[in-house]
Amino acid sequence: MAGAAGPGTGPGAAGGDGDDSLYPIAVLIDELRNEDVQLRLNSIKKLSTIALALGVERTRTELLPFLTDTIYDEDEVLLALAEQLGNFTGLVGGPDFAHCLLPPLESLATVEETVVRDKAVESLRQISQEHTPVALEAHFVPLVKRLASGDWFTSRTSACGLFSVCYPRASNAVKAEIRQHFRSLCSDDTPMVRRAAASKLGEFAKVLELDSVKSEIVPLFTNLASDEQDSVRLLAVEACVSIAQLLSQDDLEVLVMPTLRQAAEDKSWRVRYMVADKFSELQKAVGPKITLNDLIPAFQNLLKDCEAEVRAAAAHKVKELCENLPIEGRETIIMNQVLPYIKELVSDTNQHVKSALASVIMGLSTILGKENTIEHLLPLFLAQLKDECPEVRLNIISNLDCVNEVIGIRQLSQSLLPAIVELAEDAKWRVRLAIIEYMPLLAGQLGVEFFDEKLNSLCMAWLVDHVYAIREAATNNLMKLVQKFGTEWAQNTIVPKVLVMADDPNYLHRMTTLFCINALSEACGQEITTKQMLPIVLKMAGDQVANVRFNVAKSLQKIGPILDNDALQVEVKPVLQKLGQDQDMDVKYFAQEAISAVAQRLRKLDFPVKGSEEPSAPGADKNHFLRPRGPGEDTGKGPAHQLHVNTRDTLAQLGTAELVHFSRSRD
Amino acid sequence: MKCFSRYLPYIFRPPNTILSSSCHTEADIISTVEFNHTGELLATGDKGGRVVIFQREQESKNQVHRRGEYNVYSTFQSHEPEFDYLKSLEIEEKINKIRWLPQQNAAYFLLSTNDKTVKLWKVSERDKRPEGYNLKDEEGRLRDPATITTLRVPVLRPMDLMVEATPRRVFANAHTYHINSISVNSDYETYMSADDLRINLWNFEITNQSFNIVDIKPANMEELTEVITAAEFHPHHCNTFVYSSSKGTIRLCDMRASALCDRHTKFFEEPEDPSNRSFFSEIISSISDVKFSHSGRYIMTRDYLTVKVWDLNMESRPIETYQVHDYLRSKLCSLYENDCIFDKFECVWNGSDSVIMTGSYNNFFRMFDRNTKRDVTLEASRENSKPRAILKPRKVCVGGKRRKDEISVDSLDFSKKILHTAWHPSENIIAVAATNNLYIFQDKVN
């Protein structure tokens, strides 16, 4: 029936003698309130189409009033609506009518969902630019005032984001009012509003006259920075960055620094954390002189803070801090005033702190140069490579490239190898996964000889790991190594070892061979694929385990494009046809898939394609399900084959997932 | 006890037990009661996972006596029974706690929790409905697309008021043990949930991550000596919270000091009276509820036999101790046998922190006036509370000779217990949950 024709059907499907273009629009309008959220969302996303069809007049008088009251909807619909309305000025008749968009956005700016509110504010900010100065004062400013004095804090928080866009274009009298409203929001009863005001303080300060910044913003900043709620105080730190950029050095020293010093020593660790987290921005904002006098000592305190979270945040900033110091005298400052504190962090009691430091410490070597690196940093790197926490070791290994440039990796290789081996054999599979991902990088830096000698065996061992994710990563790793070291290397070192696994008694290992071939064939090229890999794959088509057989079909489909027509016609085709007659319906299914893919490539009509073959009769189906597949093997069927992971892997993943989920683990 | 004897009884029951309150099912038992911040709404949760919200009627001049009666506003199923397949564990749907959020727009928000999962609900009103379709006529019949010559934009028309409850957030998978408390922070953006061994801090906007702020789980569970029984945030200081333990102690933590609050800032404990020591000492000293006063100056705790009020500035002993039902001290043995000794009674402050209320057995509940030091026992029962009648104080006879109107300890009904009560934030209106009945009493005005 007509209702079934969706909006995507296009004008052609409308039929009838009415206006051809009306039908799809009519569907869109009706679906604005369909029970299905997805359809409503669709309609809202095509709101401009609806508006275009209605024309500017009806959009203003009918569509917008309807949308203003549509705030009961799901968040994602409201979010899409708020976004659409930001670009609607043209559709309501241009800048002269931009104010018509304010009512629906005003109601969206008061909903409880933050993302929707934020999007509504963003759209309002966009539209404010399209208002003429007169319209701005006649429509937009009153809206801001209404929101700012609203009963509910949601509307007042939204107002905070709108002051800065209307202030620059307002008349002086209105400017004074706007400042007054902002002031009162800064001392609002609810912490939510004070937080919103604090987070917009910097932005507002930027559009104010310098005198007003000094006389009004600074006192507000000082008040917010000493708010009774630490959740407000910590946002003042952010504002500090913007305000500091506006003031001269002298004003800065008098007006802002006392507050910043106080924040760096705040009783609440969250405020100190914020100072540490924003340190680079603060450093840039206050300039080199104050940095040396004030920030470096503050940073030293943060590095030895009693709260681990603060130390970790500060440790993260070590490299940026050093980079941003004035080049002149930088080395001395780092060596005398920063490095001693870093040395202590290397043996911190908290692993998050150590791993934060490990993720940036290597970057110091480029700043300090070869000699200092060898003398002072190298011992730290070596100590961290032996750290008990795998994350610390991983972070060092993942940043090896920085050191490589300065002193060469050989200095480290003696300690590096045991660290890598230990990580490679870690009991946690996520750790093993992480180190595998760094293998191509390491291989590139250590060179092929070192790799063959020390690391190659590790890479092969991962192929038979008992966790599927590791085997999968190991397969991808091989592909990347081949890309790095070339096909000849692959042919000599990797391919033989992979192919040997095809005779492994464990079917999972046999399947790994197939996965490796899938990954390697492209990198190895046609010759190796045809001569060495293809025979093995074809041989495995006779495997007793159905999972292996249908993976053969999948592999053949995958490597098909690399093979030449002869090989396809003579070798692949018969095997696939045989698999197409397999008694297992999954094998049959994937064989058919492969056949049609290969046939497409061959473009030969004599290749039989039975696209719509009936699945086996129910009886056979049942049989298939019950048929044993050999010792300890999966009995899953149908689409579940996509997820052929053995149960141990799944449980391991679940177990770890839970741990990682709440990863604020304790020592 | 003049001030307490003038409560007018109003009785509310869950809707499906209107016919007879004697044949209620387990699922109808009320498991939590909570007024919102204005007192306009009252929410109850039950063992069947339902939340019932009552709204106070607007005052009308014609019916002076019916001032502000509470009527059902919305009912919804908050939690369903679940099964955790990984741990082979049944998860009950029983609502353990409800907490209202400060009002942020025209809708109301509340948190409800069962043993494992906290949910944020939005309760909102809708009084308009869009009308007019392009492809359907007024009767809902499909129109021939060929006849569509103009577009219709739907128009909103007034309709009967509809109250909807929608789940906004589900905070799951963070608790290994049973959640006993939830508490909304005064910063309006976080709340905490406490189970037997851990307390987690959540942001209202983030459901996939929570921060563990207290963990008292020993490395070896055999060394376990105490569990967390209740936890609450300070009403004004967003960084301060307290939690009580099964050992009868209360810890106050400051979240400013460090990210993990394993080390308390203050530790409230009353030294044990050696003369009162018995086999049951430890059990009856376990704290079942902890509440900050509205002023934030005091903490109230309830243990099996007493209610104590602590001054935040004095950790060594409570400043006030009230006996709730001291006459049970001689019956602890039988209360242990029928498991009643493990009942978790809650306690509440009145709006001005001058009176406290808590429950007892036999549908009795107790009130203590902190200024006059007077106390009263009242009974919540259908027989005794005729509309507009004044509640009579009840007395339990302790000595050998029973006076008229007194009830002897032996005839108390221990299956009728009042565990959950609530007090209107500013007026003298109380809500008392007695198994499946909710009684709302209010001060009589003349």
Side-chain angles (χ1 to χ4, degrees):
Chain A
M1 201 33 233
T9 324
D17 50 4
D19 187 346
D20 266 2
S21 60
L22 280 188
Y23 179 72
I25 305 288
V27 174
L28 275 182
I29 293 178
D30 283 3
E31 283 182 351
L32 279 174
R33 51 205 177 94
N34 196 294
E35 276 178 22
D36 184 347
V37 185
Q38 202 50 49
L39 291 178
R40 290 205 302 275
L41 192 59
N42 253 348
S43 270
I44 286 285
K45 284 185 175 162
K46 291 185 183 133
L47 207 55
S48 51
T49 316
I50 298 178
L52 211 56
L54 289 172
V56 292
E57 178 76 34
R58 290 191 70 193
T59 301
R60 288 200 301 267
T61 54
E62 292 179 46
L63 185 61
L64 290 180
F66 170 69
L67 294 174
T68 307
D69 284 323
T70 322
I71 51 164
Y72 302 110
D73 215 323
E74 303 277 332
D75 301 332
E76 48 179 339
V77 178
L78 297 183
L79 182 67
L81 177 59
E83 191 172 1
Q84 290 285 320
L85 291 176
N87 302 311
F88 236 60
T89 310
L91 295 160
V92 293
D96 288 347
F97 296 96
H99 62 267
C100 298
L101 296 170
L102 300 182
L105 284 170
E106 183 177 352
S107 64
L108 288 171
T110 61
V111 301
E112 67 279 358
E113 191 60 46
T114 317
V115 281
V116 177
R117 249 176 16 234
D118 287 352
K119 188 54 89 181
V121 168
E122 198 184 311
S123 289
L124 280 171
R125 290 168 67 114
Q126 214 169 320
I127 287 171
S128 73
Q129 303 305 324
E130 283 151 357
H131 280 69
T132 59
V134 178
L136 195 78
E137 285 196 11
H139 301 288
F140 199 84
V141 174
L143 160 95
V144 177
K145 287 188 203 160
R146 262 200 312 281
L147 287 173
S149 47
D151 282 342
W152 310 116
F153 69 75
T154 42
S155 86
R156 300 201 299 275
T157 49
S158 291
C160 292
L162 296 173
F163 292 108
S164 64
V165 288
C166 49
Y167 188 83
R169 298 169 65 206
S171 67
N172 282 340
V174 175
K175 277 183 174 175
E177 274 184 77
I178 294 176
R179 288 200 304 270
Q180 173 56 39
H181 273 286
F182 192 80
R183 261 204 308 278
S184 60
L185 291 183
C186 283
S187 51
D188 197 276
D189 285 342
T190 57
M192 277 296 197
V193 179
R194 294 203 302 276
R195 274 200 293 277
S199 65
K200 300 293 179 192
L201 186 65
E203 180 190 284
F204 189 51
K206 282 183 188 162
V207 299
L208 248 62
E209 300 76 12
L210 188 60
D211 281 347
S212 307
V213 172
K214 283 192 218 169
S215 64
E216 296 193 31
I217 294 291
V218 169
L220 291 176
F221 165 67
T222 316
N223 275 342
L224 289 168
S226 50
D227 195 280
E228 55 166 14
Q229 293 234 347
D230 54 356
S231 61
V232 179
R233 291 205 299 277
L234 63 89
L235 290 169
V237 175
E238 246 177 318
C240 186
V241 176
S242 317
I243 295 172
Q245 287 166 339
L246 302 172
L247 299 175
S248 69
Q249 287 280 313
D250 290 345
D251 287 337
L252 200 57
E253 185 61 55
V254 180
L255 298 173
V256 176
M257 286 316 290
T259 311
L260 182 58
R261 278 185 213 116
Q262 180 194 320
E265 288 167 4
D266 197 282
K267 199 178 170 198
S268 167
W269 69 271
R270 292 206 287 167
V271 179
R272 299 196 305 271
Y273 173 92
M274 205 61 176
V275 175
D277 196 48
K278 298 280 164 215
F279 212 85
S280 307
E281 288 92 333
L282 286 169
Q283 188 186 359
K284 283 180 200 154
V286 300
K289 197 174 139 225
I290 294 179
T291 300
L292 291 189
N293 293 339
D294 274 292
L295 290 194
I296 297 274
F299 193 70
Q300 292 169 343
N301 285 334
L302 294 172
L303 282 178
K304 53 178 189 186
D305 198 279
C306 58
E307 172 56 45
E309 298 280 340
V310 178
R311 290 200 302 277
H316 259 302
K317 300 290 164 186
V318 164
K319 186 190 153 201
E320 277 180 65
L321 171 95
C322 295
E323 267 176 349
N324 294 336
L325 288 171
I327 306 230
E328 194 183 329
R330 178 162 77 175
E331 196 180 308
T332 337
I333 297 168
I334 298 175
M335 296 304 294
N336 298 332
Q337 301 195 42
V338 183
L339 201 61
Y341 294 89
I342 294 179
K343 281 182 179 162
E344 279 179 31
L345 284 191
V346 170
S347 50
D348 199 278
T349 48
N350 186 292
Q351 64 174 50
H352 298 293
V353 178
K354 286 188 290 187
S355 80
L357 182 67
S359 66
V360 295
I361 191 173
M362 309 290 269
L364 290 182
S365 49
T366 38
I367 301 170
L368 287 176
K370 189 170 177 181
E371 273 173 37
N372 282 327
T373 301
I374 293 177
E375 193 184 336
H376 297 285
L377 292 180
L378 197 58
L380 303 182
F381 300 159
L382 296 177
Q384 289 186 305
L385 273 176
K386 294 192 188 87
D387 198 281
E388 58 183 7
C389 166
E391 210 180 319
V392 175
R393 283 173 270 153
L394 268 177
N395 281 345
I396 289 289
I397 290 171
S398 60
N399 287 303
L400 276 178
D401 45 341
C402 315
V403 190
N404 200 13
E405 290 162 20
V406 183
I407 57 169
I409 211 162
R410 291 282 162 181
Q411 296 268 12
L412 276 173
S413 56
Q414 283 311 310
S415 315
L416 203 49
L417 196 66
I420 294 173
V421 172
E422 207 177 311
L423 288 170
E425 289 161 359
D426 197 284
K428 293 198 185 77
W429 67 267
R430 277 168 198 276
V431 174
R432 299 201 296 277
L433 187 64
I435 188 74
I436 291 177
E437 272 151 20
Y438 293 120
M439 266 301 151
L441 179 84
L442 282 170
Q445 289 180 351
L446 291 166
V448 67
E449 273 171 47
F450 188 89
F451 183 86
D452 279 346
E453 192 182 322
K454 315 274 188 190
L455 299 179
N456 196 2
S457 54
L458 282 179
C459 291
M460 301 316 287
W462 284 321
L463 285 177
V464 293
D465 197 284
H466 65 269
V467 176
Y468 176 78
I470 298 295
R471 297 198 297 273
E472 190 188 30
T475 316
N476 288 329
N477 174 43
L478 286 187
M479 181 182 71
K480 288 182 190 147
L481 289 174
V482 172
Q483 283 166 353
K484 214 158 220 133
F485 291 151
T487 51
E488 196 180 325
W489 175 81
Q491 198 174 359
N492 294 332
T493 50
I494 302 271
V495 175
K497 289 184 188 171
V498 167
L499 296 183
V500 163
M501 283 174 16
D503 298 321
D504 199 286
N506 185 333
Y507 86 106
L508 291 171
H509 297 174
R510 297 202 295 278
M511 291 211 303
T512 306
T513 301
L514 291 172
F515 298 146
C516 284
I517 288 173
N518 293 348
L520 291 176
S521 58
E522 200 171 335
C524 286
Q526 194 186 55
E527 197 188 325
I528 299 179
T529 308
T530 317
K531 290 210 173 123
Q532 300 194 1
M533 295 175 176
L534 184 61
I536 301 290
V537 179
L538 296 174
K539 194 181 83 184
M540 289 167 85
D543 201 288
Q544 55 166 345
V545 178
N547 291 34
V548 177
R549 291 201 302 279
F550 76 67
N551 271 299
V552 166
K554 283 162 109 178
S555 286
L556 289 173
Q557 180 177 352
K558 177 95 205 234
I559 64 173
I562 300 159
L563 303 171
D564 61 19
N565 286 1
D566 273 355
L568 276 180
Q569 186 70 271
V570 178
E571 300 183 67
V572 175
K573 191 179 113 180
V575 171
L576 280 179
Q577 277 172 331
K578 189 169 160 252
L579 288 175
Q581 307 299 317
D582 202 279
Q583 47 175 303
D584 186 289
M585 79 172 219
D586 295 309
V587 178
K588 255 198 268 194
Y589 171 77
F590 285 109
Q592 293 297 343
E593 291 263 290
I595 286 171
S596 43
V598 170
Q600 232 172 12
R601 187 165 132 72
L602 288 175
R603 295 190 188 287
K604 284 197 178 165
L605 293 167
D606 60 342
F607 216 120
V609 184
K610 285 189 246 166
S612 58
E613 185 176 311
E614 282 293 305
S616 350
D621 196 35
K622 208 169 170 186
N623 217 357
H624 160 98
F625 196 79
L626 295 171
R627 177 173 52 81
R629 294 216 161 161
E633 286 165 6
D634 300 3
T635 49
K637 61 185 277 285
H641 277 310
Q642 305 293 340
L643 301 167
H644 268 228
V645 180
N646 76 27
T647 15
R648 197 151 34 133
D649 290 8
T650 330
L651 284 181
Q653 279 179 15
L654 283 170
T656 332
E658 201 177 56
L659 287 176
V660 170
H661 182 59
F662 298 101
S663 64
R664 301 265 306 212
S665 54
R666 290 143 176 283
D667 302 325
Chain B
M1 274 315 308
K2 221 168 103 197
C3 105
F4 295 128
S5 53
R6 300 193 304 177
Y7 286 90
L8 280 177
Y10 293 109
I11 307 173
F12 287 91
R13 269 163 280 106
N16 54 348
T17 57
I18 282 174
L19 289 177
S20 159
S21 67
S22 57
C23 67
H24 67 268
T25 63
E26 179 82 5
D28 297 325
I29 295 177
I30 295 171
S31 52
T32 181
V33 189
E34 186 81 6
F35 278 104
N36 77 342
H37 297 270
T38 59
E40 193 206 341
L41 300 179
L42 171 70
T44 64
D46 65 25
K47 283 196 166 175
R50 280 163 305 195
V51 171
V52 181
I53 298 173
F54 300 89
Q55 185 187 38
R56 196 176 186 189
E57 293 297 300
Q58 296 300 316
E59 280 184 44
S60 67
K61 292 228 167 75
N62 335 342
Q63 301 165 295
V64 186
H65 288 291
R66 293 170 59 81
R67 179 182 69 124
E69 215 173 302
Y70 283 79
N71 287 323
V72 175
Y73 178 62
S74 170
T75 306
F76 58 93
Q77 188 76 33
S78 169
H79 287 70
E80 302 272 358
E82 284 176 87
F83 191 79
D84 182 339
Y85 292 95
L86 277 180
K87 300 193 181 102
S88 212
L89 209 68
E90 268 184 74
I91 302 168
E92 276 184 64
E93 67 273 33
K94 178 188 156 211
I95 308 290
N96 289 344
K97 281 281 181 321
I98 289 176
R99 287 289 178 269
W100 292 90
L101 269 61
Q103 203 171 354
Q104 51 182 324
N105 59 15
Y108 302 96
F109 290 82
L110 62 84
L111 288 172
S112 63
T113 186
N114 66 353
D115 285 341
K116 298 287 176 188
T117 306
V118 185
K119 292 183 180 176
L120 175 65
W121 288 90
K122 172 186 178 178
V123 181
S124 55
E125 295 180 355
R126 178 186 290 220
D127 57 359
K128 283 183 193 147
R129 181 180 59 190
E131 275 178 12
Y133 281 97
N134 284 299
L135 304 178
K136 280 187 264 183
D137 60 18
E138 308 309 327
E139 276 84 49
R141 282 189 303 257
L142 285 174
R143 279 196 203 150
D144 179 5
T147 63
I148 299 171
T149 50
T150 52
L151 292 172
R152 276 178 79 180
V153 176
V155 185
L156 289 157
R157 302 250 181 256
M159 64 168 189
D160 289 344
L161 186 71
M162 206 167 84
V163 182
E164 303 175 304
T166 36
R168 301 289 301 179
R169 302 267 192 283
V170 177
F171 306 90
N173 300 326
H175 284 279
T176 315
Y177 305 94
H178 290 182
I179 299 175
N180 53 45
S181 326
I182 42 177
S183 175
V184 177
N185 193 338
S186 59
D187 68 7
Y188 289 26
E189 67 174 353
T190 55
Y191 77 90
M192 68 174 169
S193 55
D195 68 21
D196 298 338
L197 295 177
R198 298 193 180 102
I199 301 177
N200 291 332
L201 183 69
W202 301 84
N203 187 306
F204 281 116
E205 314 242 312
I206 301 165
T207 57
N208 62 358
Q209 207 180 24
S210 73
F211 290 99
N212 180 234
I213 48 176
V214 173
D215 187 349
I216 63 163
K217 187 177 180 222
N220 178 2
M221 279 298 265
E222 281 166 19
E223 291 161 17
L224 186 69
T225 56
E226 63 179 329
V227 294
I228 299 168
T229 53
E232 193 180 46
F233 269 120
H234 190 281
H236 316 303
H237 301 309
C238 67
N239 50 283
T240 311
F241 68 91
V242 292
Y243 67 92
S244 60
S245 93
S246 55
K247 275 190 168 170
T249 60
I250 310 119
R251 289 175 177 84
L252 182 134
C253 300
D254 185 347
M255 296 200 293
R256 289 175 302 185
S258 90
L260 305 173
C261 298
D262 290 346
R263 266 190 307 242
H264 51 261
T265 315
K266 290 189 176 186
F267 183 69
F268 300 85
E269 184 179 30
E270 186 175 30
E272 197 185 12
D273 179 2
S275 63
N276 262 341
R277 246 197 102 76
S278 76
F279 173 72
F280 302 108
S281 298
E282 240 176 72
I283 302 176
I284 61 169
S285 67
S286 173
I287 292 175
S288 53
D289 195 17
V290 60
K291 290 266 168 63
F292 269 108
S293 65
H294 295 86
S295 66
R297 169 77 187 269
Y298 305 104
I299 319 172
M300 164 167 58
T301 59
R302 169 73 208 258
D303 55 41
Y304 193 60
L305 295 178
T306 66
V307 177
K308 290 173 182 152
V309 176
W310 306 73
D311 188 322
L312 275 194
N313 300 323
M314 185 164 77
E315 297 165 62
S316 55
R317 61 192 160 82
I319 52 168
E320 293 155 31
T321 301
Y322 300 97
Q323 299 298 334
V324 179
H325 37 216
D326 204 43
Y327 44 81
L328 296 180
R329 204 174 277 279
S330 58
K331 304 199 52 110
L332 290 176
C333 236
S334 54
L335 290 165
Y336 180 78
E337 271 159 27
N338 63 13
D339 273 354
C340 281
I341 202 167
F342 300 106
D343 283 336
K344 299 190 89 183
F345 290 99
E346 293 173 2
C347 51
V348 289
W349 300 88
N350 74 339
S352 59
D353 298 337
S354 61
V355 183
I356 54 191
M357 172 171 66
T358 189
S360 177
Y361 293 103
N362 204 46
N363 277 350
F364 287 174
F365 58 98
R366 302 267 289 150
M367 288 188 183
F368 305 94
D369 188 313
R370 297 178 61 209
N371 298 324
T372 62
K373 302 295 171 197
R374 296 209 277 190
D375 64 293
V376 66
T377 304
L378 298 171
E379 182 180 1
S381 72
R382 302 187 73 196
E383 298 77 38
N384 290 356
S385 41
K386 294 175 189 74
R388 255 168 265 166
I390 289 169
L391 276 185
K392 277 201 206 106
R394 306 295 309 248
K395 262 209 153 70
V396 176
C397 139
V398 194
K401 201 175 170 195
R402 189 167 68 93
R403 269 183 257 154
K404 206 181 144 212
D405 284 353
E406 283 190 346
I407 178 163
S408 89
V409 178
D410 293 320
S411 53
L412 290 175
D413 184 345
F414 289 104
S415 70
K416 291 181 178 166
K417 42 192 121 186
I418 291 181
L419 301 176
H420 315 283
T421 58
W423 202 309
H424 188 287
S426 53
E427 292 178 44
N428 277 335
I429 299 176
I430 56 169
V432 176
T435 51
N436 64 320
N437 291 315
L438 177 69
Y439 297 85
I440 299 178
F441 303 106
Q442 64 175 278
D443 207 354
K444 186 179 173 189
V445 276
N446 291 319

